[in-house]
Amino acid sequence: MYRRYFFAGIALLFLNVALSACDPISDQPELYEGDAILIGVALPVTGTLGGAGQSVTRGIHLAMNERAAGERMINSLRGLTIALAFMDTESTAAGATQAYHGLIGFENLPVVIGPISSTATEALIPVLNKNNIVSVGPTSSKTGLSAQSSYLFRSSLTGNRIIPPGVRTAKENLGFRNVATLHNAGDAFSVSSNEVITEELRSHSDVSIVTEASYSRPPGTAISEADIAGPLDAIMSTTPAVDAIFLSGLPEDQITILPAAYRRGNSAPFIANLLSILEVKTINEIEPGAAEGAVTFHIWLAGSSNTQSQAFVRNYTQAYGVTPDDWAARGYASATILLAALQHTFEYDSNSIREALAGIDNFSSIFGSFSFNDDGDAVYDPMIAVVRDNEFVPWPVVGE
């Protein structure tokens, strides 16, 4: 049995040393003694998404450290010990599946934070259902996945919630009429994002999709400029010329495509679902100015006026010496939401945690008022922003 003293205080037992900005994450859980609940963390350390995985993990660490300090100040009684068990997913769906199977073998491990991609999340759904283990996805956003498992919860907005207001807001500000779409046909998130973007664009009678282009690269494999040259040239040679390019791709795609298009003389702004500030800065380091004017449909910005978000930015900056990016924010949010659920249950088995997460409603988070819908997907207000001088500048979101 798990002890029922969660409110009395939390003593955190980290299974590796606390991360600095560049510390690696151990890929094997260590044995521990005492009465504890293990929270698995299955995120990429290596591979193309390793940098994003490190940021997500630092956000998780910060949330756990803050909770531990706060609970100890309130009450010094012995409480439930929470240990974090890390596994490297290696930026692939196969790596994520292997990591989850490794974590499932540990006693008192009812919940995992991860994985990072929709492709990996989709591959894991049978594993979750077979083993009755809860998964809290900090970044996965393909529409429809959570409905396939009562054990899957996702704290990042899905495409059907973020894309329609994003398209409307971009149209209001850019006034586009002729557009192109470009997506990664080898990635679940990208395909789903492109489908929702296309559906929304076609609902606007004054907008024409001049060309629909694609390329195919699975998560974990980087693309080259040669891979994308054909689709980019097709887009840039259309008649009439396009006013905007809607890109649905992974971070490793974005940091190749935007510089390549810039070098080819493209002047149409990219509108990229969930383009992060980390990718913006990387793109502009590769090719200064290549990300200028890009638009993103987003979930969080460092300049948010939300008081909890501002406190997160201060605390993260103090802890790690850098301003958090949105990957870190998503890790922080997923951990705080999970901890809030744990505070509302007296049993720490997977079914009890699943019910507690399903009960999260109007929770005050760094994203604003946060709820899970009946499928386990996040509900809160999105943010839409444009890149100006290497930073995001938010636009007021246009309603229906």
Side-chain angles (χ1 to χ4, degrees):
M1 287 291 293
Y2 301 105
R3 291 192 185 274
R4 303 184 180 186
Y5 297 133
F6 191 86
F7 288 106
I10 302 174
L12 292 182
L13 171 61
F14 289 110
L15 302 183
N16 62 332
V17 296
L19 294 177
S20 70
C22 298
D23 286 335
I25 307 170
S26 171
D27 63 356
Q28 292 293 331
E30 299 172 12
L31 298 179
Y32 67 96
E33 296 181 357
D35 191 13
I37 175 177
L38 270 173
I39 295 176
V41 180
L43 295 169
V45 180
T46 57
T48 56
L49 293 171
Q54 291 278 0
S55 287
V56 174
T57 303
R58 285 192 288 271
I60 293 169
H61 267 283
L62 182 64
M64 293 292 179
N65 280 321
E66 287 179 351
R67 178 64 64 179
E71 294 292 341
R72 282 198 295 268
M73 287 189 292
I74 294 171
N75 198 318
S76 60
L77 295 176
R78 181 180 183 269
L80 180 73
T81 296
I82 295 180
L84 298 181
F86 295 92
M87 283 284 190
D88 180 10
T89 65
E90 301 176 347
S91 299
T92 67
T97 301
Q98 183 178 1
Y100 268 68
H101 279 302
L103 291 168
I104 287 168
F106 281 79
E107 186 180 358
N108 291 7
L109 196 153
V111 59
V112 180
I113 299 176
I116 204 168
S117 74
S118 293
T119 297
T121 302
E122 191 165 29
L124 280 165
I125 288 172
V127 177
L128 305 182
N129 291 337
K130 179 180 179 180
N131 295 278
N132 297 345
I133 187 167
V134 177
S135 183
V136 179
T139 60
S140 166
S141 60
K142 177 182 177 180
T143 301
L145 295 186
S146 297
Q148 299 176 42
S149 175
S150 62
Y151 291 94
L152 176 59
F153 295 83
R154 295 186 293 167
S155 57
S156 187
L157 287 174
T158 53
N160 61 324
R161 293 191 172 275
I162 196 171
I163 290 171
V167 171
R168 293 192 296 267
T169 302
K171 182 173 179 286
E172 175 75 15
N173 285 273
L174 298 178
F176 52 73
R177 292 293 180 266
N178 299 302
V179 303
T181 62
L182 176 62
H183 78 282
N184 183 346
D187 169 61
F189 155 74
S190 305
V191 171
S192 176
S193 171
N194 185 68
E195 288 173 351
V196 180
I197 286 171
T198 301
E199 180 181 3
E200 177 63 27
L201 287 170
R202 287 177 176 158
S203 72
H204 297 265
S205 59
D206 57 346
V207 174
S208 174
I209 303 177
V210 177
T211 186
E212 300 178 58
S214 68
Y215 56 98
S216 184
R217 283 287 179 176
T221 59
I223 65 170
S224 68
E225 188 165 341
D227 296 322
I228 202 65
L232 283 179
D233 289 343
I235 289 171
M236 294 179 63
S237 63
T238 57
T239 302
V242 298
D243 306 316
I245 303 169
F246 284 83
L247 171 62
S248 297
L250 295 167
E252 55 265 38
D253 304 344
Q254 295 163 349
I255 63 175
T256 298
I257 291 170
L258 269 69
Y262 187 81
R263 284 191 287 266
R264 280 171 161 72
N266 172 65
S267 59
F270 275 91
I271 302 174
N273 185 22
L274 295 176
L275 174 69
S276 80
I277 196 65
L278 177 62
E279 277 70 68
V280 166
K281 293 182 183 298
T282 302
I283 289 164
N284 282 335
E285 286 175 3
I286 295 170
E287 196 69 46
E292 184 70 12
V295 176
T296 186
F297 312 153
H298 236 290
I299 59 170
W300 179 86
L301 297 175
S304 169
S305 60
N306 178 303
T307 55
Q308 286 185 261
S309 178
Q310 291 174 341
F312 161 65
V313 172
R314 288 194 302 271
N315 294 341
Y316 187 97
T317 304
Q318 182 177 4
Y320 300 111
V322 294
T323 303
D325 56 32
D326 46 297
W327 293 106
R330 286 189 264 184
Y332 181 87
S334 64
T336 57
I337 291 162
L338 175 57
L339 287 169
L342 291 175
Q343 288 180 324
H344 289 87
T345 184
F346 292 95
E347 298 287 350
Y348 303 104
D349 59 277
S350 59
N351 286 324
S352 298
I353 293 173
R354 178 182 63 176
E355 292 175 7
L357 282 165
I360 294 291
D361 186 47
N362 293 322
F363 172 69
S364 182
S365 77
I366 63 171
F367 299 149
S369 179
F370 180 101
S371 303
F372 282 119
N373 67 11
D374 291 342
D375 289 335
D377 282 333
V379 179
Y380 51 95
D381 293 331
M383 305 185 79
I384 316 301
V386 62
V387 177
R388 299 291 185 221
D389 297 324
N390 218 31
E391 298 291 345
F392 283 135
V393 177
W395 282 337
V397 177
V398 176
E400 293 187 49

